[in-house]
Amino acid sequence: DLRPVEIGDLLGRDPIPPDSDLLARSIRGKAVMVTGAGGSIGSELVRQILRQGPSRLVLVELSEAALYRIEMEVREQIAGWSKKPGIVIVLGSVLDAPLVRETIKRHGIATIYHAAAYKHVPIVEVNPVAGLHNNAFGTGVIADVAREQGVERFVLISTDKAVRPTNIMGASKRLAELILQAHAADPANDTVFTMVRFGNVLDSSGSVVRLFRKQ
């Protein structure tokens, strides 16, 4: 009995649905920005955020093709809504401090979900400078600007590979976490800096599910 591989076949437990009330506190009626919005994790965040009724959703993405795909999906998703959030697309890098600053300032961003990162372990292992630059320094840039501009909440999407890291990708994400922890520990800081560690994200661009389907 051959059929396409489903995520549930590999999960081994019931999925845990998002807590809508918890999400809504930082999203409903607010201007929200997602970095890495066209990536596997970023695009799923975008879908979940849209359901919580933000006043504006700003999609920041380095890849033009990925930004185009997520914008088309978002436009399609909200096509029939009577009350549509403002959708803003920004093509650029989180390492570009003037761009990040102008985007946050212009759109009055209250909440940032920072998912932009290089996350493929073997690729980052042979390109360590690019991985460190994007994952650690990029987080430093956007965290500094978020604090400077008075953003209410900053959420870093981290990885379980940051726990006692054995590879460059994990180490770069651990550095990103330490940057946020340093900001959070500063008594002069008003922005809520928080983070969540994901494990292997099923059906992401580097997931074994996609490889199984191809095979």
Side-chain angles (χ1 to χ4, degrees), residues 26 82 86 137 153 201:
S26 302
S82 56
F137 291 102
R153 182 175 294 271
V201 179

Side-chain angles (χ1 to χ4, degrees), residues 16-27:
I16 301 170
D19 185 331
S20 294
D21 292 337
L22 191 62
L23 279 169
R25 286 182 211 167
S26 302
I27 296 171

Side-chain angles (χ1 to χ4, degrees), residues 138-155:
T139 299
V141 167
I142 194 167
D144 286 345
V145 177
R147 178 173 170 177
E148 167 202 304
Q149 294 298 318
V151 170
E152 293 174 15
R153 182 175 294 271
F154 184 107
V155 182

Side-chain angles (χ1 to χ4, degrees), residues 16-192:
I16 301 170
D19 185 331
S20 294
D21 292 337
L22 191 62
L23 279 169
R25 286 182 211 167
S26 302
I27 296 171
R28 189 158 297 146
K30 297 178 184 288
V32 179
M33 183 167 92
V34 180
T35 69
S40 306
I41 295 172
S43 57
E44 183 58 30
L45 279 170
V46 167
R47 295 178 196 111
Q48 298 288 345
I49 289 165
L50 274 176
R51 294 171 194 157
Q52 302 303 322
S55 62
R56 180 172 295 164
L57 183 54
V58 178
L59 313 176
V60 180
E61 175 58 58
L62 182 60
S63 164
E64 184 184 33
L67 185 59
Y68 173 77
R69 283 194 298 270
I70 190 62
E71 185 199 8
M72 290 300 100
E73 182 181 331
V74 166
R75 301 283 183 199
E76 189 176 316
Q77 185 174 338
I78 67 173
W81 294 9
S82 56
K83 188 178 179 183
K84 295 181 177 67
I87 304 298
V88 180
I89 59 167
V90 178
L91 182 63
S93 170
V94 293
L95 285 157
D96 186 344
L99 175 67
V100 172
R101 182 176 292 107
E102 175 62 22
T103 301
I104 292 173
K105 195 172 180 180
R106 177 184 295 179
H107 302 293
I109 300 297
T111 304
I112 295 174
Y113 288 90
H114 178 44
Y118 292 142
K119 62 183 178 59
H120 290 270
V121 172
I123 292 176
V124 174
E125 203 66 20
V126 295
N127 296 277
V129 173
L132 284 166
H133 204 212
N134 194 50
N135 296 359
F137 291 102
T139 299
V141 167
I142 194 167
D144 286 345
V145 177
R147 178 173 170 177
E148 167 202 304
Q149 294 298 318
V151 170
E152 293 174 15
R153 182 175 294 271
F154 184 107
V155 182
L156 169 68
I157 308 301
S158 190
T159 170
D160 61 355
K161 292 174 181 64
V163 184
R164 294 187 295 279
T166 57
N167 52 61
I168 299 294
M169 193 279 278
S172 67
K173 295 296 280 185
R174 180 61 187 138
L175 279 171
E177 291 181 355
L178 290 169
I179 290 166
L180 255 65
Q181 288 173 321
H183 280 297
D186 186 345
N189 164 56
D190 293 324
T191 299
V192 176

